[in-house]
Amino acid sequence: MDALIPVLKNNPGPSVLVFSLLFRVVHRLLQNIPVPKVVKQNDLHSWKWRNLSVSMVHSLLTGTWALTCVVVWPETLNNIHSYHTPLSYLLICVSTGYFVQDAGDIILTGHARASWEFLIHHALVVCCFLYALYTHLYVAGAVIALFVEVNSVTLHLRLMLKLAGAQASTVYYINKFANLFTYVTFRLSTQFYLTWYIVHNYSWLDNGGFFLTSMIMMNIMILIYFYRLLRADFFSWSKSYARQNGTHNNNSKKFLTD
């Protein structure tokens, strides 16, 4: 570890590309795992399943890693601007590599237009994380931001269960409540804490305007997705009523549908 971190800090860009390639290897290895037959029957669903499988690996790894960093080094929560440890810096390198790989997968497989909201999110995250890696500032903030990956585990599981046609299963029922809990606890709370920190310390933070703008954009996105999540899993009766009364818009954008 002592020998690795200086190499990463001196070469953050190439380091990110290496981790991106490693996640591509993970993507290839996961293709050997059997998938539900209903998923294999649809090319789009097959791609989504493979993509979500890699995302699940990233979420399990980085979500646990981020929480561990804060538990072991509590100063991470208080000194978002300048505090970091070797393990937290490595975490951001790894995670940035994933987002680069995922964006590449979306673009190179021809799904950019249908997944534009994810590309915007990934672009914001990669820009913020690369800034942290190159300047060694806001690394702690990036670690805290990865708390959202705890919620991503239940989000990815939800989508995979839907692809498998298991919405009526007990696992889906339990997961939708776990998903709601982790969304509020680890996604909304994390985003709003980081936003509050930036606003509260805006006068002296480096490039505070850039980070505040990025946070506001991501806050808007997660609130929209939260609305979609609640509508789909807890208020699905309202959609049925809208369809029966002819008020459902079939031409709505993907980002505003379930």
Side-chain angles (χ1 to χ4, degrees), residues 38-52 111 162-164:
V38 67
V39 174
K40 291 191 291 185
Q41 293 171 358
N42 185 294
D43 290 339
L44 177 59
H45 289 181
S46 294
W47 172 77
K48 285 184 176 180
W49 185 277
R50 292 193 301 270
N51 182 270
L52 285 169
H111 296 95
K162 290 187 73 173
L163 289 174

Side-chain angles (χ1 to χ4, degrees), residues 55 58-59 95-96 98-100 102-103 106 112 115-129 145-149 151-152 155-156 183 187 191 210 214-223 225 255:
S55 298
H58 169 260
S59 296
S95 187
T96 308
Y98 159 76
F99 286 110
V100 170
D102 195 53
I106 292 172
S115 304
W116 60 269
E117 70 273 19
F118 295 108
L119 290 178
I120 292 175
H121 170 268
H122 287 10
L124 291 171
V125 171
V126 169
C127 287
C128 292
F129 281 16
L146 287 173
F147 280 13
V148 303
E149 295 301 328
N151 169 244
S152 292
L155 274 178
H156 297 330
Y183 204 105
R187 190 172 295 272
Q191 291 289 128
F210 166 72
S214 298
M215 290 303 303
I216 290 173
M217 291 179 66
M218 284 191 277
N219 289 345
I220 292 172
M221 294 175 72
I222 68 169
L223 287 173
Y225 196 87
F255 188 53

Side-chain angles (χ1 to χ4, degrees), residues 154 157-158 161 170-180:
T154 55
L157 179 58
R158 171 185 179 270
L161 289 170
T170 302
V171 175
Y172 188 94
Y173 181 80
I174 295 173
N175 184 72
K176 76 176 184 178
F177 289 102
N179 193 25
L180 178 64

Side-chain angles (χ1 to χ4, degrees), residues 17-89:
L17 291 179
V18 169
F19 287 116
S20 179
L21 291 175
L22 288 176
F23 273 105
R24 198 62 193 171
V25 172
V26 172
H27 180 279
R28 178 67 65 178
L29 293 174
L30 289 174
Q31 292 186 27
N32 297 321
I33 298 177
V35 301
K37 290 182 179 180
V38 67
V39 174
K40 291 191 291 185
Q41 293 171 358
N42 185 294
D43 290 339
L44 177 59
H45 289 181
S46 294
W47 172 77
K48 285 184 176 180
W49 185 277
R50 292 193 301 270
N51 182 270
L52 285 169
S53 297
V54 180
S55 298
M56 180 69 84
V57 171
H58 169 260
S59 296
L60 288 169
L61 173 64
T62 60
T64 304
W65 194 339
L67 289 175
T68 302
C69 284
V70 171
V71 170
V72 177
W73 300 286
E75 190 178 346
T76 302
L77 281 174
N78 302 319
N79 190 357
I80 289 176
H81 176 259
S82 55
Y83 180 78
H84 73 273
T85 65
L87 276 178
S88 62
Y89 189 91

Side-chain angles (χ1 to χ4, degrees), residues 240-256:
S240 299
Y241 178 84
R243 291 191 186 99
Q244 292 171 6
N245 288 273
T247 57
H248 181 72
N249 182 7
N250 291 322
N251 296 317
S252 57
K253 296 294 185 180
K254 178 179 181 294
F255 188 53
L256 297 177

